[in-house]
Structures are given as structure tokens and as C-alpha cells.
């Protein structure tokens, strides 16, 4: 990244942007000092499903007070994925997608508590599964079931949400959240459904990066967003290891 930044090349960086906070801060600094754009590959911010849902949260639904997320992946038999100073394991390399999505929806977290450990495999000395509870500064609470808790043949992605006005959920194959359904509490028998044909977000992510370069705009997922999500992911691992609530 430093070589690219010094050569004035704008950067679309895969998530997580680093495995530790020191490196993440250094990445942001070198991009800022060289005047290049830094975008982090948080594809879920660009998923048509989740962008539609965010607009609903900002308008007719109102802020979600309660969210429950199932984000359990299948087997990843790659050494780099599990190495502490590389991929960082399932929480850092993969769960960070929904951590960023929650920050996108709700703003910054206030505290986190998690239980987990080596629950599903023996090959790697790494946390591979967790149940996570997060309190956000805006008062919302969220819980996540994450890690290597499924297999790819049946892996699904599901986000349930509720407040005093509405209850609903998004679901689909893992990384393919294509179905949204919800009800308003004043008429709970009437179910609204919306299906999205291409919900992955990859195409929209790349188009956004190109547009930011052409129009000299700040990316929707910038270095600060990368730092915030990494900070939360690291706090989850710390909570598991130290068996305590971590304040952010």
C-alpha cells in the first residue's frame, strides 16, 4: 500500500485492512500524506438489499432497537485465513463484514461481550466460533452468531431486526441476502416482501470506487471505517480471551 500511495495510485483495499491497529493506522496515514483515496472492500455497504434497508431505517422504519444476525460460514482450509498476523481468523477476516454493516446501520459501538473459542476445528490455534453481543452508542443492541458454524452447502445469512414500529428480516444464501420481509406492528397480518436479484454488492462497490476517483469524492467505506470495524473485531477476540465486557 505504501508503494502504491507514494506513486499516487488510489487504493481499494480488501478487508480487513490489517490484522492489528498499528498497521491500520499507518495505512490511513500514508494514504493521507500522499493525497490518495483509500476505500476498504466492505461489500455489504453496497449490497442493494442492505442499502434499501438502511434507507428504511432512516425513514419509514425508524432506528432498529434490536438486531440478531446469523453469519456462520463453511470450511476455510487456508493457512493465511487463520494466522493471527495475517487473516486473523474467522472473526477478523470474515465476521468483520457484518460488524461494519452494523456500524453502517447504527453508528459506533459502546461496548461488547462475547463467548467463543476453538469450537469446530483443531488444526489452527485460533478462535473459530463466537456468540457476540454489542451495545451501540445510539442505544441499539445487536447479537451475532459467527464463525465456522456451518458448511457451505447449507450456509445462510440472516439479519432479524425490530423496534416499536416494525419487525422483519433479511435472509438468503451466505453472502447472497436476497429476500427482505417485514410487518408493521399496527397491522401484523400484512407481510411485505421484496426480492433482490443481485444482492452481493461487488459490482456496486467497484463502480462506487471508480466514481469517487472521477468525481474526487470520499469513498463510502474509507480508512476510518476500516479502523472502526477492526477495533470492534479485536475487542470481540479480547472479550473472549479475557472473559469480560470490553468498553470501546
Amino acid at each position: 500500500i505504501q508503494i502504491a500511495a507514494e506513486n499516487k495510485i488510489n487504493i481499494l483495499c480488501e478487508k480487513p485492512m490489517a490484522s492489528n491497529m498499528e498497521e491500520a493506522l499507518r495505512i490511513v496515514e500514508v494514504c493521507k500524506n500522499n493525497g490518495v483515496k483509500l476505500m476498504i472492500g466492505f461489500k455489504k455497504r453496497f449490497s442493494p438489499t442492505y442499502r434499501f434497508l438502511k434507507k428504511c431505517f432512516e425513514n419509514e422504519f425508524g432506528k432498529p432497537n434490536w438486531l440478531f444476525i446469523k453469519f456462520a460460514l463453511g470450511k476455510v482450509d487456508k493457512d493465511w485465513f487463520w494466522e493471527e498476523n495475517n487473516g486473523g481468523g474467522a472473526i477478523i477476516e470474515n465476521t468483520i463484514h457484518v460488524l461494519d454493516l452494523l456500524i453502517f446501520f447504527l453508528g459506533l459501538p459502546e461496548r461488547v461481550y462475547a463467548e467463543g473459542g476453538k469450537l469446530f476445528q483443531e488444526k489452527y490455534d485460533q478462535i473459530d466460533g463466537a456468540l457476540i453481543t454489542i451495545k451501540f452508542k445510539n442505544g441499539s443492541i445487536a447479537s451475532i452468531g459467527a464463525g465456522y458454524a456451518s458448511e457451505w452447502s447449507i450456509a445462510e445469512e440472516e439479519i432479524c431486526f425490530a423496534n416499536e414500529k416494525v419487525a422483519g428480516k433479511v435472509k438468503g444464501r451466505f453472502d447472497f441476502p436476497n429476500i427482505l420481509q417485514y410487518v408493521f406492528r399496527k397491522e401484523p397480518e400484512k407481510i411485505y416482501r421484496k426480492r433482490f436479484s443481485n444482492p452481493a454488492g461487488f459490482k456496486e462497490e467497484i463502480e462506487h470506487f471508480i466514481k469517487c476517483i472521477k468525481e474526487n469524492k470520499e469513498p463510502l467505506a474509507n480508512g476510518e471505517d476500516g479502523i472502526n470495524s477492526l477495533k470492534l473485531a479485536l475487542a470481540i477476540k479480547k472479550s473472549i480471551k479475557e472473559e469480560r465486557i470490553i468498553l470501546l
Side-chain angles (χ1 to χ4, degrees):
I1 287 178
Q2 182 169 345
I3 293 172
E6 289 174 348
N7 283 276
K8 308 302 179 184
I9 298 172
N10 295 295
I11 296 164
L12 173 55
C13 177
E14 183 59 279
K15 56 76 218 158
M17 63 187 296
S19 60
N20 60 77
M21 195 55 60
E22 292 77 16
E23 186 177 346
L25 291 169
R26 192 161 60 248
I27 289 171
V28 171
E29 182 180 18
V30 74
C31 290
K32 181 179 179 181
N33 290 344
N34 286 279
V36 300
K37 297 191 184 303
L38 172 63
M39 179 170 150
I40 311 301
F42 287 128
K43 62 185 178 184
K44 295 197 180 297
R45 288 190 177 219
F46 302 95
S47 162
T49 309
Y50 291 133
R51 294 194 68 152
F52 178 85
L53 188 58
K54 181 176 172 62
K55 287 182 180 179
C56 290
F57 288 154
E58 293 173 344
N59 294 288
E60 60 178 328
F61 289 2
K63 172 181 71 72
N65 296 328
W66 176 99
L67 297 99
F68 182 82
I69 300 174
K70 177 184 177 183
F71 198 67
L73 69 157
K75 185 177 182 179
V76 181
D77 194 12
K78 299 180 184 296
D79 291 346
W80 65 263
F81 181 94
W82 297 100
E83 290 172 359
E84 187 69 17
N85 294 321
N86 197 338
I91 303 303
I92 301 292
E93 206 285 334
N94 188 257
T95 308
I96 201 166
H97 269 307
V98 290
L99 300 181
D100 177 73
L101 183 63
L102 284 173
I103 292 172
F104 184 54
F105 285 158
L106 304 172
L108 293 177
E110 181 178 284
R111 61 180 184 261
V112 62
Y113 177 71
E115 292 280 1
K118 289 181 64 175
L119 308 178
F120 308 113
Q121 54 81 39
E122 292 296 329
K123 182 177 180 180
Y124 302 102
D125 185 22
Q126 183 62 260
I127 294 168
D128 61 14
L131 295 175
I132 305 156
T133 299
I134 307 167
K135 174 72 176 293
F136 288 83
K137 290 183 177 180
N138 72 351
S140 298
I141 56 173
S143 187
I144 308 169
Y148 176 30
S150 188
E151 291 295 341
W152 294 121
S153 58
I154 59 169
E156 294 182 336
E157 179 173 327
E158 184 171 6
I159 298 182
C160 301
F161 58 88
N163 61 16
E164 71 284 355
K165 186 177 180 180
V166 67
K169 64 181 176 181
V170 170
K171 69 179 301 183
R173 302 193 316 273
F174 194 89
D175 272 347
F176 200 82
N178 64 322
I179 299 172
L180 167 66
Q181 60 180 14
Y182 58 92
V183 298
F184 290 99
R185 294 190 185 274
K186 64 182 181 181
E187 46 178 1
E189 296 81 14
K190 187 175 181 180
I191 303 172
Y192 295 85
R193 294 183 176 88
K194 187 172 177 64
R195 183 180 291 269
F196 298 83
S197 59
N198 187 21
F202 281 119
K203 176 176 177 288
E204 291 82 0
E205 175 186 76
I206 294 170
E207 288 175 345
H208 176 78
F209 181 59
I210 294 170
K211 184 176 181 180
C212 287
I213 295 171
K214 287 183 174 180
E215 300 180 5
N216 193 27
K217 292 182 177 180
E218 182 70 8
L220 180 62
N222 59 23
E224 183 179 355
D225 297 313
I227 287 172
N228 289 333
S229 297
L230 178 61
K231 186 183 296 184
L232 179 54
L234 291 170
I236 289 166
K237 293 182 71 172
K238 185 175 182 179
S239 178
I240 292 170
K241 292 174 181 177
E242 299 184 4
E243 299 183 339
R244 65 183 180 94
I245 294 171
I246 303 297
L247 301 179
L248 290 145

